[in-house]
Amino acid sequence: MNRTMIAQVRIDEPARIEGFLEHVRNTRYMAFLVVRDRSGSVQATIEKQLHPEWAELLDTLSVESVVSIEGTLRENLQVKLGGRELIPIKLEILSLAAPLPLTKDSNIDTRMDYRWLDLRGEKERLLFEVQTCLVSAMREFLLQREFLEIHTPKLIAAASESGADVFEVGYFDRKAYLAQSPQFYKQMAMAAGFERIFETGPVFRAEKSYTNRHTTEFTGFDLEFSYIESFHNVMNLEAEMLAYALERVQKQFGEAIERHYGTTVVVPKLPFPVIALPELYRELEKRYGYHLAESERGDTTTEAEQLSYRFSMEEFNHEFLLITDFAAEKRAFYHMRKDGVPQGYDLVWRGVEITTGAQREHRYDVLCRQAEERGLGEDVKFYTEFFRYGCPPHGGFGLGVDRLTMMLLGTGIKEAMFLFRGPNRLTP
Ligand code: 4AD
Ligand code: MG
C-alpha cells in the first residue's frame, strides 16, 4: 500500500501513514499515538487486547520516533485532534528516537545545537513555507519583467564591498576571499548587455556582531538593471516587488502567521514613503528628542532605524521607509554621486534595514577616482575594467532574505534561518 499524507486520509478508507510520533500515551488497555507528517497530525488509537503482538513494541516507542501505520480512519467526536482517529492494523517502527535533548522551553542556543529537532515544529515549518512563498513571488515578479536569474562565483580574488569584513580562504598556493555580495558580478552582467538580472545566493560577512539581525553568512536577494534614469527607478521596482510578494504571503499564510507568530501581515501601499537622512534626523530630534552629533549624521544608527519606524507609522501610516542622502564617505565607492550626494537608499522595515540600493557609477574615470579615494585601486582593477568598453547606466539593490523573513514574522535572525552562522557558531 502506498503512503498517504495525513491530511488526505479519508474516513472509512484504509490508508498507510508515515511520520514522527508527536505524542505517545501508553495506558493499560489503550495506546494513543499522535503521528505527524508534513501535512498534519492524526491520532492512532490502539485497543491493546486486540493486538497483544504489539505489547513490547508499544513499550519501546519513544516520542519523535518515525513510524509507519496502516489502518482505517474513523470518526470519533471525542478525539480532540479533529474528531477522528486511525484504527491501526499494522504498526512498524522505521526509526526509534533516543530520549530528546530538547524541550519546548530550551534556550535558543540549545535549539540551535539540535536545529533539526527544533525545525520539526509546525511553527518552524511555517517560517520556511512563508520564506519559500516570499522568494518565489519575488522571482516570479522579476521573471514577468524579463529579468534573468544568474549565479555568480562566491570564491573571488578580491574583497567585493570595502575590503573590511571579508573571509579569507586558502586557495591552493594563494589566497581567495568569500564574496561579501554579488555586487561586482551583477554589474559585469550589465556590461555584458544582460540589462536585467537577479540572483539569490549566499553572502559572507566577517563581522563580529552579536545582534539579533547579524550573521556571518546569509542569503542575499540581489538585482541589477540597466537604462535607469535615477535610483528612484530602483526604489520603485523594489517597492512594487515587495508589495507583490507580501500580498501573496498575506493571502496564503496571513492567518497562520497571526496564529503562530502573533504578527499581522500588512500589504504595503505604493509608493513607499521617502525621506532624506538629514531631514529624518531633524524629525527624530523634534518628535522624540533623539539627538545625534552633527558628525554622526551621515549614516543611520540602530536607534535611529528603530525610531524611524515610529516616525514612519505616525507620519505616513506605513511600515516601510526609504532613506536617501547618506554621506558619501559612509557609502560604497561604486555608488553614483550627484553634487557629492550618493544616489542610493536604505529601505527600513519595522525599524530594521533590509536593503541597500543605488544607481552605480558607470563612468570609468569617475569610478576609478572613487575607488582610489578609498585606496582600492589595484584590488578592484578587474572590476573597473568592466566599465572600459561601454556600459549602460544602471542600478540595483541587495535585500537580505533572512532579515526580510525575520521582520515579517517578528523573530530574531537565528530562528529565521535554516542554520545560523555567527562568530561562535559553525555547527551543526
Ligand atoms: O547593505 P549591504 O551591505 O549592501 C550590499 O551588499 C550592496 N552590494 C547592495 C547594493 O546593491 N548596493 O547588504 C544588503 C542587505 C542589507 O540591507 C541586509 O538586509 C543584509 O543584506 N545584510 C545582512 N543580513 C544579515 N546579516 C548581516 N551581517 C548582513 N549584512 C547585510
Ligand atoms: Mg546596507
Side-chain angles (χ1 to χ4, degrees):
M1 185 183 275
N2 287 332
R3 175 179 181 227
T4 304
M5 297 311 297
I6 287 170
Q8 253 87 62
V9 179
R10 300 238 171 81
I11 299 280
D12 296 334
E13 275 177 29
R16 182 163 65 86
I17 62 164
E18 297 188 330
F20 291 99
L21 270 184
E22 197 170 271
H23 191 71
V24 182
R25 195 153 66 88
N26 189 10
T27 67
R28 185 138 173 226
Y29 299 109
M30 302 292 290
F32 306 93
L33 314 178
V34 177
V35 183
R36 178 190 73 242
D37 67 16
R38 65 176 201 274
S39 73
S41 316
V42 70
Q43 174 179 299
T45 307
I46 298 164
E47 211 170 317
K48 289 170 81 171
Q49 68 185 48
L50 297 180
H51 295 282
E53 74 281 12
W54 292 345
E56 203 179 322
L57 186 150
L58 286 172
D59 285 340
T60 58
L61 264 186
S62 50
V63 172
E64 293 299 315
S65 292
V66 181
V67 295
S68 175
I69 301 181
E70 236 176 85
T72 305
L73 192 66
R74 303 282 185 213
E75 198 153 74
N76 177 352
L77 296 179
Q78 290 180 334
V79 177
K80 278 197 217 118
L81 199 61
R84 41 184 56 190
E85 61 189 350
L86 192 79
I87 309 299
I89 52 163
K90 265 192 195 166
L91 170 62
E92 192 188 341
I93 303 178
L94 302 179
S95 170
L96 193 65
L100 297 178
L102 204 64
T103 69
K104 274 287 152 219
D105 311 315
S106 294
N107 68 31
I108 186 77
D109 280 314
T110 312
R111 287 177 56 194
M112 293 299 123
D113 287 342
Y114 295 97
R115 184 61 164 155
W116 67 98
L117 300 180
D118 186 44
L119 289 173
R120 285 184 192 173
E122 203 186 332
K123 180 175 175 182
E124 286 68 28
R125 184 183 172 83
L126 174 65
L127 185 141
F128 292 90
E129 287 172 343
V130 169
Q131 194 174 73
T132 301
C133 174
L134 254 182
V135 174
S136 73
M138 296 196 296
R139 178 179 276 117
E140 182 182 295
F141 176 90
L142 295 174
L143 295 177
Q144 283 166 6
R145 284 158 186 77
E146 298 177 357
F147 277 73
L148 294 180
E149 181 165 11
I150 64 169
H151 305 282
T152 64
K154 304 306 158 202
L155 274 173
I156 56 177
S160 26
E161 289 285 327
S162 63
D165 306 333
V166 61
F167 285 113
E168 196 179 286
V169 293
Y171 194 73
F172 305 113
D173 54 356
R174 57 191 176 122
K175 281 176 196 159
Y177 303 92
L178 294 177
Q180 290 165 296
S181 117
Q183 188 60 38
F184 291 168
Y185 298 119
K186 289 196 293 180
Q187 293 189 256
M188 193 186 101
M190 299 303 100
F194 280 18
E195 292 194 21
R196 298 169 160 227
I197 61 97
F198 70 100
E199 168 168 19
T200 174
V203 174
F204 302 92
R205 302 279 168 105
E207 279 178 286
K208 274 216 169 121
S209 299
Y210 301 89
T211 72
N212 63 2
R213 53 184 202 290
H214 284 92
T215 162
T216 51
E217 177 177 355
F218 61 94
T219 302
F221 193 99
D222 272 84
L223 69 76
E224 206 69 28
F225 61 114
S226 287
Y227 302 106
I228 62 171
E229 279 166 33
S230 80
F231 71 100
H232 287 270
N233 300 131
V234 182
M235 297 197 295
N236 291 341
L237 183 84
E238 177 169 20
E240 277 179 46
M241 183 185 84
L242 287 171
Y244 180 89
L246 288 172
E247 187 173 351
R248 175 77 56 82
V249 169
Q250 190 205 43
K251 263 202 200 113
Q252 278 186 23
F253 297 105
E255 235 174 275
I257 291 173
E258 188 90 50
R259 183 153 37 88
H260 285 283
Y261 289 89
T263 318
T264 308
V265 181
V266 180
V267 180
K269 285 193 281 300
L270 294 172
F272 288 8
V274 188
I275 192 166
L277 187 56
E279 172 74 13
L280 178 66
Y281 276 120
R282 279 196 291 278
E283 289 293 338
L284 298 185
E285 179 143 22
K286 193 172 80 192
R287 289 172 190 236
Y288 319 120
Y290 180 68
H291 182 76
L292 198 66
E294 199 57 46
S295 59
E296 308 273 300
R297 294 187 172 207
D299 200 357
T300 46
T301 61
T302 306
E303 303 80 58
E305 279 176 14
Q306 279 163 359
L307 280 174
S308 76
Y309 179 32
R310 190 167 153 197
F311 164 73
S312 187
M313 288 303 290
E314 278 178 19
E315 182 66 20
F316 308 109
N317 190 27
H318 209 286
E319 294 182 352
F320 289 86
L321 185 62
L322 291 158
I323 304 174
T324 64
D325 295 62
F326 285 76
E329 68 272 15
K330 298 293 182 190
R331 303 306 258 187
F333 73 94
Y334 53 78
H335 284 203
M336 182 179 271
R337 298 172 198 161
K338 204 163 156 186
D339 304 320
V341 180
Q343 299 298 290
Y345 67 96
D346 269 10
L347 176 58
V348 175
W349 185 22
R350 297 175 171 168
V352 170
E353 177 203 327
I354 58 164
T355 299
T356 293
Q359 175 161 10
R360 322 303 186 185
E361 183 50 74
H362 65 284
R363 294 164 296 184
Y364 176 70
D365 47 336
V366 183
L367 183 63
C368 290
R369 207 158 56 231
Q370 292 185 179
E372 270 155 32
E373 276 171 18
R374 301 274 164 95
L376 290 169
E378 267 312 298
D379 278 349
V380 296
K381 189 160 185 301
F382 81 96
Y383 162 71
T384 53
E385 286 291 297
F386 300 158
F387 304 92
R388 278 185 70 192
Y389 310 98
C391 182
H394 62 277
F397 62 78
L399 169 64
V401 171
D402 320 273
R403 289 248 180 117
L404 188 65
T405 309
M406 143 193 161
M407 295 323 294
L408 175 62
L409 301 181
T411 68
I413 199 149
K414 291 180 182 175
E415 295 103 304
M417 304 182 71
F418 182 68
L419 273 177
F420 169 76
R421 286 286 178 261
N424 297 327
R425 182 163 293 275
L426 270 174
T427 53

